[in-house]
DNA sequence: ATGACAGGTGAAACCTGA
């Protein structure tokens, strides 16, 4: 099973690249963030033309998340959990869950936080607490694959210049300890699991040629419940989608799960 | 040291992003 998580920075602006990704990788499930659409603007028709159904948590011009699935195994809004209980920003669309093929897929777009002195930073910490509470709950319900923009660089190796970020958001002990506590609930950071050391950035600023200078952050993650760890066949970004015409500032993250019997079916006809 | 880019809204300039 092939899963993608991608902060597209506006789904409507990114549809050409999303179409490209769906055609190239033929993912079974796609977790999107920053769709930036009102519910009535969500491009269901365009996605259907590409062979995908979607459930979305859309809140207007900002944020927005969605789960896509292939039309031969469609997702139904009635089966989705839309929104995060206990979120301090209930008016912002940042959380959606769907169970597909026995796995609960979650797309999350964590509050940015802006600056440690900004009220938004307290909202971010509260959002992370609500997220941890929900991850503890769903861990008891079966296998989980969460993908999203967590807006936290888990460690200094996940930051191109830790000195430049010192004292800022995304790297603070408050954020990192909350992320670590989520892993302690029984989840694995899939990319770090396969690549214990070294940089594996997922985001680069549009400005100042950051991508080509290697100035990035690893802030998009797959958190996989530990009962699925043995099925992680591969996990990493596709750099090509950070290049070319009108890229998102995030690269898509791809996760390959072997079938439950341990066999990788990705090459089956 | 600073700013730099992109998207949404809405029709200029401001907000958001990380």
């Amino acid at each position: 099973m092939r899963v993608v998580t991608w902060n597209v920075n506006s789904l409507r602006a990114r549809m050409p690249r999303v179409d490209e990704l769906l055609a190239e990788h033929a993912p079974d499930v796609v977790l999107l963030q920053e769709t930036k659409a009102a519910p009535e603007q969500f491009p269901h028709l365009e996605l259907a033309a590409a062979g995908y159904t979607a459930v979305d948590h859309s809140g207007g011009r900002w944020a927005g998340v969605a789960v896509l699935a292939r039309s031969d195994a469609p997702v139904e809004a009635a089966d989705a959990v839309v929104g995060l209980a206990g979120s301090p920003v209930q008016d912002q669309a940042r959380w959606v869950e769907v169970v597909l093929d026995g796995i609960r897929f979650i797309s999350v777009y964590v509050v940015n936080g802006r600056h440690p002195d900004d009220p938004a930073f307290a909202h971010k910490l509260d959002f992370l607490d609500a997220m941890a509470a929900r991850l503890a709950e769903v861990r008891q319900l079966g296998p989980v694959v969460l993908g999203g923009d967590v807006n936290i660089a888990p460690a200094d190796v996940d930051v191109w210049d830790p000195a430049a970020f010192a004292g800022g958001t995304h790297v603070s002990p408050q954020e990192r300890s909350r992320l670590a506590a989520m892993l302690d609930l029984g989840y694995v950071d899939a990319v770090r699991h396969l690549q214990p050391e070294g940089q594996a950035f997922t985001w680069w600023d549009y400005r100042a040629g950051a991508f080509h200078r290697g100035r990035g952050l690893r802030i998009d993650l797959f958190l996989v419940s530990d009962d699925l760890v043995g099925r992680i066949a591969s996990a990493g970004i596709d750099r090509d989608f950070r290049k070319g015409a009108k890229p998102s500032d995030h690269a898509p993250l791809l996760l390959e799960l072997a079938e439950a019997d341990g066999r990788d079916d990705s090459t089956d006809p």
Side-chain angles (χ1 to χ4, degrees):
Chain A
M1 170 178 266
R2 198 169 296 146
V3 189
V4 172
T5 185
W6 194 11
N7 179 323
V8 291
N9 185 19
S10 173
L11 181 55
R12 288 171 292 157
R14 212 65 58 215
M15 269 311 297
R17 303 305 301 266
V18 171
D19 279 333
E20 182 185 342
L21 179 129
L22 297 177
E24 183 169 326
H25 291 290
D28 298 288
V29 179
V30 182
L31 310 173
L32 298 177
Q33 301 87 38
E34 279 207 86
T35 50
K36 290 185 173 177
E40 65 274 16
Q41 295 173 312
F42 193 90
H44 288 285
L45 292 176
E46 293 90 331
L47 291 167
Y52 285 82
T53 57
V55 292
D56 62 307
H57 187 199
S58 296
R61 70 193 75 166
W62 305 121
V65 293
V67 179
L68 314 185
R70 302 169 68 84
S71 297
D72 54 7
V75 287
E76 309 281 354
D79 300 330
V81 176
V82 177
L84 174 63
S87 166
V89 284
Q90 288 293 336
D91 57 326
Q92 299 177 15
R94 298 181 177 275
W95 186 275
V96 61
E97 309 174 7
V98 182
V99 178
L100 290 162
D101 203 19
I103 298 174
R104 183 177 304 264
F105 292 92
I106 303 175
S107 180
V108 60
Y109 175 47
V110 171
V111 175
N112 176 289
R114 294 183 191 166
H115 187 276
D117 297 331
D118 193 294
F121 188 72
H123 289 154
K124 181 178 195 175
L125 299 183
D126 290 344
F127 186 93
L128 292 170
D129 287 338
M131 179 173 163
R134 182 59 182 163
L135 286 181
E137 284 180 2
V138 298
R139 185 65 193 84
Q140 306 306 315
L141 302 177
V144 179
V145 171
L146 174 144
D149 177 354
V150 300
N151 272 321
I152 302 168
D156 279 352
V157 69
D158 301 311
V159 181
W160 67 274
D161 182 3
F165 284 81
T169 61
H170 295 61
V171 302
S172 72
Q174 299 100 306
E175 294 158 87
R176 285 177 169 172
S177 65
R178 281 169 171 80
L179 179 59
M182 290 182 213
L183 297 176
D184 288 342
L185 295 170
Y187 295 89
V188 169
D189 175 345
V191 168
R192 248 328 149 227
H193 176 72
L194 295 182
Q195 182 187 326
E197 297 178 5
Q199 294 176 332
F201 297 153
T202 65
W203 173 88
W204 298 260
D205 201 307
Y206 283 120
R207 296 169 288 188
F211 178 65
H212 297 288
R213 294 181 182 195
R215 298 178 173 183
L217 300 175
R218 189 172 78 94
I219 53 175
D220 300 271
L221 305 180
F222 272 117
L223 300 188
V224 175
S225 56
D226 49 18
D227 54 346
L228 293 175
V229 167
R231 292 173 56 184
I232 301 174
S234 65
I237 66 162
D238 185 339
R239 292 180 61 85
D240 289 343
F241 286 87
R242 185 59 184 79
K243 308 173 184 175
K246 284 194 164 292
S248 171
D249 46 354
H250 296 251
L253 200 51
L254 281 60
L255 171 70
E256 185 81 42
L257 291 179
E259 287 309 289
D261 61 7
R263 184 173 52 88
D264 179 353
D265 72 338
S266 64
T267 55
D268 283 359

